C-alpha cells in the first residue's frame, strides 16, 4: 500500500511512514531528555550558590559574594568567564590540556562525513559508514567493537576523545546543522553542558542526535548519543567518570543498480540530462542495521606527597612585599581504572534479492535475515607511579601497571536457536616513562606484554617525543613517533556467525612497525609529516567480504605537506598527501589526496563580526577503492567481476563563515560543481554522493 504525497507526488510505503513517525517521537524524547538534564544542572548551581548578579545582569562568581550580609547591596562586578578543557589517557587517566572547541576556521566542515579536509570515503548520506583513505589515520585493527569502527570519530567516542571542562561559570554549547529539504535532507543537534560545584568538582552531560533522511532510496540514518560525566581535580585525589549510550539505526540499500543513472543519465532517462535520485533503483530494500553500545568508565588516583612554601611575587606594582603560599607537591600516585562496555549488533532484512549474497547458512529457506551478536567486556587497570617534578632530579615520571580484561561474545548458531558463547581473558603488564613539563623536550614511552590468556605472546611498544627550539624569530616544533606491535586480529575478524557470513579462523598475530616524524614552523605556516609502516600477516576483508590474512609483508610510505599563504585578507590553505603501498591488490590506496581552501578573512560591523568567504576543493587520484558490505557493515576489496576505479573527481564547496561574539554561523553550497564535470561523484563503488545541497549550521556558547 502506498500513500501519495500531494506536494511532491512521491510515494511512501507504510514502513517508511512508520519510520518518519518514529523519528519525530524520538526527537521529542531527545528534547525532553535535554531539558531534564539542563534543569538538573541548574538546580545544582542554585544549591551551591546564592543567586547574585552584577550591574550588567551577569551571574556573580560565588567567591565574589561578600561575607558580610549588610554589604550584599553594594555593587559587585563579576569576573569574565574562564574555562579550560582536557583529554585523559584511557589506561592511566593522565591529563592533557587542549584548546576549547570554539574554532572559527573550518567550522563549515565540522559536520561533513568526509572529514574536515575530505580524507574519508563514505556512502553519501549523513551518518553513513566511512573509511579513511589515509592509511595512518585508520584505527587499530584489534578493536573488539568492529561494527562501530566505521563510525569512529563521528559518533563513537573513546574516553580519551572526550572533552572535560573546568570553568568559573556554567558552560553550555548548542550546535545545530541542517541541509537540504525537509523531505530528504539531514539534521543534527548537539549540546554540551558543564558546571563546577566548586573549583575541584565539575559535572555535566552531552547529547547528540542525527537524522539523515537520504536523497537515495533506503538510505535513512537515525543516531542518538547521550552521556553524563564528572571530574574531581583535588590536590591528592583525582577522578574522572563517564557514562555514554549510543543508539544507531541505519537503512541499507546496497548501492544503486547501475552507475549510469549518475554518470550517463541520458542513457537511462529517455534523453533527460538528469535522473531524480529518489527514483534510482537500488540493490536492497527493507534492510536495516542497528548498533546499541554503552560504556561506563572510571579512572581515579590518590597522590602522596608533601607541602612546601613558595614565594609569590606581588601582582600590584605599588606593592613591593612578596607573599608566601603553601602548595602540595605530589610524589607518588596509586591509580585504578575500570571500564564496562556492551555492544549489541543486529542486521535485519525482510526482502533479499536471490543473487545478492553468495551463501546462506542459517535461514536457508527464506529470503530474510535476522542476525545478532552481543559483546560485553570488563577492564581493570592498577598502577603505581613516581611522578615528575617533585624535585630537580625527578625530570621524568615512571609508572608500572597491570591490566585484566574479560570479554564475552555471543554469536548465532546454524540451528538459528542456540547461542555460541566465547570467553576470552587477557592479562597485560606494562610501564610508562614520560616527561610532560619540559620546556624544550617532552617524551612518552609505553610498553606492555601479555602474560595470560589470549594476551600471551602479544605486546605493544609506543613512543613519542616533542622538541621545541628557536629558528630565527620563530619556534620550530619537531614531533616523532614510533611503535612496534605484535597483536591478534580482533575477535570479530576471527569469529562471526550470521545468515550470509559465517567464519571461524585461527589467524596468526599481526606484526607491525611504524615510524613517523613531523615538522611545524608556525611563522612560515608550514607543516611536514612523513612515515613508514611495515606489516606482516596483514588481516583484511577480501573480495568475497571475508577476513583473510596475507602471510607476507606489506610496506606503506606516506608524506604530508601543508603550506598556508596569506596576503592581506586573502588566504590560501593547501594540503598534499602522498602514499605508496607495496601491494595494491591487498591494500589499495590513492597515490595523492589534495585539499585547497581559498578565502578572504576580514572584520565587519566595527570589527565585531568576523567573516570568511571562500571555496574549498578536495580531490584524490583514481584507485580501486574498497566497497561496502551491508550485512557486516565493513569495507572490503572489490570483487573481480565488478571492479571500478574511484576518484579523479573534485568536490567543490562554496561557503560563508561568520563569528559574532559567542556565536558561529555558516552557510555552504555543498558539491557546487555537480553537473559541471564527468559526474563520477562516487567515494565508494556504486554509492553516489549527494548532489548539490545548501547546508548551514550555527553554534552558541553560553556562560551563565
Amino acid at each position: 500500500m502506498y500513500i501519495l504525497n500531494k506536494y511532491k507526488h512521491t510515494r511512501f510505503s507504510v514502513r517508511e511512514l512508520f519510520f518518519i513517525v518514529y523519528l519525530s517521537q524520538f526527537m521529542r524524547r531527545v528534547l525532553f531528555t535535554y531539558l531534564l538534564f539542563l534543569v538538573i544542572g541548574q538546580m545544582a548551581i542554585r544549591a551551591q550558590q546564592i543567586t547574585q548578579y552584577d550591574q550588567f545582569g551577569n551571574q556573580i562568581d560565588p567567591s565574589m559574594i561578600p561575607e558580610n550580609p549588610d554589604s550584599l547591596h553594594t555593587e559587585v562586578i563579576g569576573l569574565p568567564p574562564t574555562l579550560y578543557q582536557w583529554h585523559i589517557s584511557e589506561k592511566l587517566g593522565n591529563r592533557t590540556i587542549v584548546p576549547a572547541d570554539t574554532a572559527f576556521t573550518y567550522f563549515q566542515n565540522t559536520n561533513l562525513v568526509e572529514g574536515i579536509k575530505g580524507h574519508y570515503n563514505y556512502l553519501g548520506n549523513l551518518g553513513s559508514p566511512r573509511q579513511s583513505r589515509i592509511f595512518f589515520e585508520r584505527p587499530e585493527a584489534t578493536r573488539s567493537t568492529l561494527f562501530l569502527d566505521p563510525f569512529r570519530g563521528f559518533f563513537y567516542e573513546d574516553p580519551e576523545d572526550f572533552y572535560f571542562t573546568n570553568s568559573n561559570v556554567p558552560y553550555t554549547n548548542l550546535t545545530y546543522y541542517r541541509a537540504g529539504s525537509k523531505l530528504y535532507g539531514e539534521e543534527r543537534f548537539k549540546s554540551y553542558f558543564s558546571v563546577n560545584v566548586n573549583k575541584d568538582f565539575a559535572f555535566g552531560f552531552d547529547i547528540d542526535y542525527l537524522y539523515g533522511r537520504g536523497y537515495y532510496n533506503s538510505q535513512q540514518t537515525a543516531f542518538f548519543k547521550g552521556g553524563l560525566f564528572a571530574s574531581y581535580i583535588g590536590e591528592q585525589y583525582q577522578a574522572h567518570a563517564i557514562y555514554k549510550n549510543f543508539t544507531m539505526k541505519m537503512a541499507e540499500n546496497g548501492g544503486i543498480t547501475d552507475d549510469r543513472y549518475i554518470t550517463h543519465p541520458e542513457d537511462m532517462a529517455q534523453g533527460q540530462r538528469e535522473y531524480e535520485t529518489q527514483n534510482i533503483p537500488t540493490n536492497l530494500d527493507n534492510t536495516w542495521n542497528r548498533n546499541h553500545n554503552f560504556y561506563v568508565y572510571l579512572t581515579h588516583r590518590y597522590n602522596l606527597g608533601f607541602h612546601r612554601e613558595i614565594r609569590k611575587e606581588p601582582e600590584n606594582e605599588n606593592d613591593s612585599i612578596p607573599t608566601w603560599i603553601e602548595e602540595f607537591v605530589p610524589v607518588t600516585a596509586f591509580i585504578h581504572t575500570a571500564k564496562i562496555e556492551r555492544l549489541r549488533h543486529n542486521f535485519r532484512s525482510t526482502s533479499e534479492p536471490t543473487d545478492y549474497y553468495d551463501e546462506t547458512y542459517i535461514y536457508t529457506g527464506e529470503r530474510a535475515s535476522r542476525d545478532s551478536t552481543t559483546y560485553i567486556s570488563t577492564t581493570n587497570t592498577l598502577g603505581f607511579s613516581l611522578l615528575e617534578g617533585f624535585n630537580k632530579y625527578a625530570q621524568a615520571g615512571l609508572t608500572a601497571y597491570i591490566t585484566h580484561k574479560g570479554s564475552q561474545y555471543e554469536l548465532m548458531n546454524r540451528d538459528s536457536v542456540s547461542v555460541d558463547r566465547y570467553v576470552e581473558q587477557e592479562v597485560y603488564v606494562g610501564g610508562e616513562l614520560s616527561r610532560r613539563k619540559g620546556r624544550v623536550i617532552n617524551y612518552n614511552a609505553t610498553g606492555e606484554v601479555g602474560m595470560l590468556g589470549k594476551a600471551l605472546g602479544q605486546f605493544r611498544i609506543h613512543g613519542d617525543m616533542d622538541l621545541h627550539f628557536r629558528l630565527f624569530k620563530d619556534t620550530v616544533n619537531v614531533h616523532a613517533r614510533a611503535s612496534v606491535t605484535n597483536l591478534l586480529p580482533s575477535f570479530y575478524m576471527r569469529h562471526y556467525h550470521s545468515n550470509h557470513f559465517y567464519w571461524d579462523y585461527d589467524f596468526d598475530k599481526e606484526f607491525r612497525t611504524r615510524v613517523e616524524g613531523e615538522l611545524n614552523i608556525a611563522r612560515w605556516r608550514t607543516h611536514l609529516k612523513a612515515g613508514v609502516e611495515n606489516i606482516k600477516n596483514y588481516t583484511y576483508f577480501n573480495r568475497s567480504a571475508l577476513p583473510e590474512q596475507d602471510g607476507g609483508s606489506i610496506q606503506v610510505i606516506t608524506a604530508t605537506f601543508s603550506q598556508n599563504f596569506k596576503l592581506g585578507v586573502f588566504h590560501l590553505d593547501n594540503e598534499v598527501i602522498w602514499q605508496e603501498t607495496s601491494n595494491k591488490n591487498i591494500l589499495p590506496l590513492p597515490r595523492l589526496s589534495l585539499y585547497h581552501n581559498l578565502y578572504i578573512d576580514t572584520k565587519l560591523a566595527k570589527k565585531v563580526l568576523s567573516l570568511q568567504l571562500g571555496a574549498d576543493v578536495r580531490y584524490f587520484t583514481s584507485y580501486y577503492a574498497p566497497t561496502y558490505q551491508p550485512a557486516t557493515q565493513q569495507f572490503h576489496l572489490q570483487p573481480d567481476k565488478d571492479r571500478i576505479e574511484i576518484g579523479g573527481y573534485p568536490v567543490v564547496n562554496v561557503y560563508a563563515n561568520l563569528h559574532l561574539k559567542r556565536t558561529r554561523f555558516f552557510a555552504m553550497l555543498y558539491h557546487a560543481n555537480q553537473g559541471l564535470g564527468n559526474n563520477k561523484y562516487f567515494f565508494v563503488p556504486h554509492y553516489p554522493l549527494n548532489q548539490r545541497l545548501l547546508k548551514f549550521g550555527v553554534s552558541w556558547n553560553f556562560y551563565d
Side-chain angles (χ1 to χ4, degrees):
M1 181 176 68
Y2 289 88
I3 296 177
L4 187 65
N5 183 285
K6 65 180 180 181
Y7 297 104
K8 297 294 183 179
H9 301 288
T10 303
R11 296 189 302 175
F12 288 94
S13 67
V14 174
R15 173 184 58 81
E16 292 169 330
L17 288 172
F18 283 161
F19 179 70
I20 294 172
V21 171
Y22 161 79
L23 286 171
S24 63
Q25 295 173 346
F26 187 66
M27 188 61 181
R28 288 197 294 269
R29 292 199 296 269
V30 170
L31 294 176
F32 175 77
T33 304
Y34 171 72
L35 292 174
L36 178 62
F37 283 162
L38 189 60
V39 169
I40 293 173
Q42 293 296 332
M43 290 175 63
I45 299 169
R46 298 296 184 263
Q48 294 296 327
Q49 65 184 52
I50 301 174
T51 304
Q52 294 292 326
Y53 299 89
D54 61 17
Q55 72 274 28
F56 303 109
N58 297 319
Q59 187 173 307
I60 300 170
D61 190 287
S63 62
M64 297 189 61
I65 299 176
E67 296 181 0
N68 184 1
D70 295 333
S71 64
L72 287 177
H73 299 289
T74 61
E75 182 180 79
V76 179
I77 299 176
L79 290 174
T82 59
L83 65 87
Y84 67 95
Q85 295 184 320
W86 67 91
H87 293 314
I88 58 173
S89 62
E90 181 172 344
K91 185 154 293 186
L92 297 173
N94 295 319
R95 295 202 306 158
T96 302
I97 304 299
V98 295
D101 186 18
T102 57
F104 170 47
T105 305
Y106 295 114
F107 174 56
Q108 76 279 0
N109 292 346
T110 53
N111 199 43
L112 297 180
V113 187
E114 59 262 50
I116 290 180
K117 295 186 177 181
H119 292 178
Y120 289 84
N121 290 347
Y122 73 110
L123 309 188
N125 192 30
L126 181 67
S128 60
R130 68 180 192 175
Q131 183 185 56
S132 179
R133 294 187 298 273
I134 313 306
F135 180 74
F136 278 30
E137 293 182 355
R138 295 180 184 178
E140 191 175 76
T142 58
R143 294 171 56 88
S144 299
T145 51
L146 183 70
F147 301 104
L148 297 181
D149 282 349
F151 307 98
R152 178 175 168 80
F154 197 75
F155 263 91
Y156 184 71
E157 288 180 344
D158 287 332
E160 60 189 16
D161 300 322
F162 186 75
Y163 284 86
F164 287 92
T165 301
N166 189 291
S167 59
N168 63 342
V169 294
Y171 169 67
T172 304
N173 175 264
L174 301 178
T175 303
Y176 178 73
Y177 302 95
R178 181 159 185 172
S181 66
K182 292 183 178 179
L183 196 59
Y184 304 109
E186 57 194 39
E187 292 180 275
R188 187 179 184 185
F189 170 73
K190 300 170 62 176
S191 67
Y192 178 96
F193 174 78
S194 177
V195 60
N196 270 59
V197 176
N198 52 47
K199 68 175 183 178
D200 298 326
F201 178 46
F203 72 94
F205 65 88
D206 68 334
I207 289 176
D208 198 340
Y209 172 70
L210 175 153
Y211 177 29
R213 298 165 180 84
Y215 278 83
Y216 297 89
N217 180 49
S218 297
Q219 203 185 37
Q220 303 96 324
T221 54
F223 295 166
F224 173 77
K225 176 186 71 178
L228 303 171
F229 62 89
S231 64
Y232 182 86
I233 310 298
E235 286 186 341
Q236 291 187 270
Y237 182 72
Q238 298 180 1
H240 297 84
I242 304 174
Y243 165 77
K244 280 296 181 70
N245 198 319
F246 306 83
T247 300
M248 308 179 192
K249 183 178 180 181
M250 174 181 169
E252 301 281 3
N253 64 21
I256 62 177
T257 57
D258 196 322
D259 290 352
R260 290 180 298 169
Y261 285 107
I262 300 296
T263 58
H264 299 88
E266 65 277 3
D267 296 341
M268 313 300 290
Q270 294 78 44
Q272 298 181 26
R273 296 184 63 184
E274 290 187 5
Y275 205 96
E276 292 186 2
T277 58
Q278 299 85 6
N279 297 325
I280 296 177
T282 55
N283 289 298
L284 296 177
D285 196 5
N286 300 310
T287 303
W288 303 86
N289 267 300
R290 293 178 177 86
N291 292 301
H292 182 206
N293 173 263
F294 84 86
Y295 71 79
V296 179
Y297 172 82
L298 170 68
T299 180
H300 56 148
R301 61 174 60 200
Y302 187 80
N303 298 326
L304 298 177
F306 59 92
H307 288 84
R308 67 183 175 190
E309 288 188 339
I310 62 172
R311 178 188 176 98
K312 182 180 180 181
E313 297 299 330
E315 298 179 358
N316 192 340
E317 295 180 357
N318 299 325
D319 187 3
S320 60
I321 301 176
T323 58
W324 293 84
I325 62 174
E326 190 176 72
E327 72 167 1
F328 177 75
V329 181
V331 177
T332 61
F334 298 91
I335 304 167
H336 172 237
T337 297
K339 183 180 181 183
I340 301 174
E341 184 173 17
R342 185 191 68 187
L343 165 68
R344 288 180 177 174
H345 170 75
N346 293 276
F347 173 73
R348 297 287 186 272
S349 63
T350 58
S351 176
E352 297 177 350
T354 56
D355 57 348
Y356 188 78
Y357 298 105
D358 295 335
E359 302 288 346
T360 301
Y361 297 96
I362 299 177
Y363 306 108
T364 56
E366 306 177 38
R367 292 172 56 189
S369 295
R370 297 180 293 278
D371 301 344
S372 65
T373 182
T374 302
Y375 156 71
I376 300 175
S377 72
T378 302
T379 306
N380 280 277
T381 299
L382 294 174
F384 173 77
S385 181
L386 294 175
L387 301 175
E388 172 189 357
F390 65 88
N391 63 40
K392 63 180 181 180
Y393 301 107
Q395 297 295 315
L398 182 62
T399 303
Y401 64 87
I402 181 170
T403 297
H404 170 264
K405 181 178 181 180
S407 305
Q408 177 178 293
Y409 303 85
E410 293 184 354
L411 302 178
M412 300 172 64
N413 190 278
R414 289 178 185 264
D415 61 14
S416 75
V417 177
S418 59
V419 175
D420 295 334
R421 288 186 175 85
Y422 296 76
V423 177
E424 293 187 349
Q425 304 289 340
E426 300 171 83
V427 176
Y428 293 91
V429 294
E432 178 186 67
L433 178 66
S434 62
R435 175 186 168 94
R436 297 184 174 91
K437 300 179 181 180
R439 294 184 178 181
V440 177
I441 185 171
N442 289 291
Y443 52 83
N444 176 270
T446 60
E448 63 180 27
V449 59
M451 303 299 293
L452 296 172
K454 273 294 183 182
L456 192 64
Q458 300 189 64
F459 64 84
R460 297 179 177 90
I461 301 174
H462 294 273
D464 61 78
M465 181 191 68
D466 270 310
L467 176 64
H468 304 267
F469 61 90
R470 298 287 297 177
L471 178 63
F472 304 114
K473 295 182 180 180
D474 198 12
T475 299
V476 177
N477 170 250
V478 178
H479 190 84
R481 289 182 293 271
S483 65
V484 180
T485 62
N486 190 48
L487 303 171
L488 274 176
S490 69
F491 174 86
Y492 285 112
M493 292 289 284
R494 294 177 280 122
H495 305 280
Y496 185 57
H497 302 168
S498 67
N499 190 33
H500 298 296
F501 294 91
Y502 204 105
W503 65 74
D504 288 286
Y505 296 121
D506 186 18
F507 286 140
D508 293 328
K509 299 177 182 67
E510 284 188 1
F511 184 77
R512 297 185 176 216
T513 58
R514 176 184 292 191
V515 178
E516 287 182 278
E518 291 186 45
L519 174 67
N520 294 282
I521 306 176
R523 186 182 181 92
W524 298 353
R525 300 182 180 88
T526 301
H527 172 73
L528 294 170
K529 182 168 66 173
V532 58
E533 180 166 355
N534 183 80
I535 312 169
K536 184 179 180 181
N537 296 329
Y538 176 63
T539 309
Y540 61 98
F541 284 95
N542 62 20
R543 304 191 190 283
S544 300
L546 295 170
E548 186 173 330
Q549 192 168 68
D550 177 65
S553 294
I554 299 176
Q555 292 79 38
V556 178
I557 303 174
T558 182
T560 300
F561 174 64
S562 299
Q563 180 64 63
N564 299 337
F565 299 98
K566 178 184 177 183
L567 180 61
V569 298
F570 295 96
H571 293 251
L572 177 61
D573 297 348
N574 306 277
E575 180 187 73
V576 179
I577 301 177
W578 171 79
Q579 297 179 114
E580 194 66 54
T581 170
S582 64
N583 193 331
K584 296 181 180 180
N585 292 324
I586 293 177
L587 182 55
L589 297 171
R591 179 163 291 179
L592 287 177
S593 294
L594 310 177
Y595 177 80
H596 305 283
N597 184 19
L598 176 64
Y599 60 98
I600 61 172
D601 190 345
T602 187
K603 298 281 188 179
L604 302 175
K606 297 183 179 180
K607 297 186 178 181
V608 298
L609 176 65
S610 299
L611 170 67
Q612 291 179 347
L613 185 65
D616 62 0
V617 58
R618 63 273 301 137
Y619 174 90
F620 59 94
T621 53
S622 300
Y623 75 114
Y624 290 104
T627 189
Y628 173 75
Q629 174 50 248
T632 59
Q633 287 198 299
Q634 299 301 308
F635 292 91
H636 66 94
L637 298 179
Q638 296 185 47
D640 291 324
K641 63 180 180 181
D642 190 26
R643 295 183 70 197
I644 60 172
E645 284 192 320
I646 298 299
Y649 179 86
V651 176
V652 178
N653 300 334
V654 180
Y655 66 90
N657 201 4
L658 299 98
H659 188 196
L660 177 63
K661 294 184 178 180
R662 301 174 182 177
T663 304
R664 294 173 291 168
F665 177 84
F666 77 84
M668 172 198 292
L669 185 61
Y670 173 79
H671 199 177
N673 61 312
Q674 184 258 324
L676 302 179
N678 55 24
N679 281 343
K680 294 183 179 180
Y681 45 89
F682 297 83
F683 280 7
V684 174
H686 315 307
Y687 286 89
L689 300 178
N690 284 333
Q691 297 180 352
R692 190 181 298 110
L693 287 178
L694 181 63
K695 300 190 176 191
F696 71 87
V698 60
S699 180
W700 297 273
N701 289 324
F702 301 93
Y703 301 98
D704 50 35

